[in-house]
Amino acid sequence: MWKTLISVLIFSWGVLGTTQNIDYSDVKFDEREMLQLVNDARMTRRLCGGKRHEAVPPLKWNVKLAKAAQKHADDMADNDFFDHTGSDKSTVVMRIEREDYLWMAVGENVAMGPRSVEEAVEGWLESPGHCSNIMNGEFTEMGAALSRDGKYWVQVFATPLGK
């Protein structure tokens, strides 16, 4: 059985390169809303850039993936960086394996700056690679998180080994 690491992508809402101190303390995360918006998107076929995606089954929430997402989001906040590689040089694969998640396929979306779950998901859907991660029928589970400072968003998609 081949493991698949799906491309990991980044988007930002124009915060990079600014010297402003933006207050994100009012930004809130709701895992039910995140899962619902992602699953609503997956119910309809769509174009992600030039790539056509058919409707795919809904994802299930996974606590281990959410923990990996939370740790990476907080790492970016605590260490003031924006990347898929953690401050300890970890990858999304390493982070989910630390949570004892045995995987067959995995992908990650990160964002910086959206002010709501809806804005984060809309931004990802407007980005071809992020949209392709959301619409990838290989994925069966998702976890997501918002950093404790409200600035960084992480989605982790995966399929457990043996599914």
Side-chain angles (χ1 to χ4, degrees), residues 57-109:
L59 299 169
K60 294 179 184 169
W61 190 261
N62 182 281
V63 174
K64 291 178 179 181
L65 297 178
K67 284 181 183 178
Q70 187 68 63
K71 289 177 181 177
H72 186 53
D74 289 339
D75 180 34
M76 288 190 287
D78 293 345
N79 294 291
D80 194 27
F81 72 97
F82 181 58
D83 201 336
H84 287 285
T85 302
S87 64
D88 62 353
K89 307 297 183 216
S90 64
T91 64
V92 65
V93 168
M94 294 165 74
R95 291 188 291 272
I96 68 171
E97 288 177 349
R98 286 178 189 160
E99 300 302 326
D100 295 321
Y101 188 96
L102 302 176
W103 61 278
M104 189 167 63
V106 63
E108 179 179 69
N109 287 345

Side-chain angles (χ1 to χ4, degrees), residues 18-32:
T18 65
T19 57
Q20 302 174 30
N21 277 337
I22 299 172
D23 181 12
Y24 292 94
S25 62
D26 62 328
V27 180
K28 304 294 180 222
F29 179 74
D30 181 326
E31 70 184 46
R32 287 185 190 101

Side-chain angles (χ1 to χ4, degrees), residues 3-4 13-14 27 29 48 52 55 73 101-102 106 110-111 115-117 120 126 135 137-139 149-150 152-153 159:
K3 287 186 174 183
T4 305
W13 284 95
V27 180
F29 179 74
C48 297
R52 180 176 304 280
Y101 188 96
L102 302 176
V106 63
V110 298
R115 309 286 307 180
S116 67
V117 172
E126 291 170 6
M135 295 301 296
E138 281 190 61
F139 298 139
D149 69 353
Y152 301 95
W153 299 79
T159 301

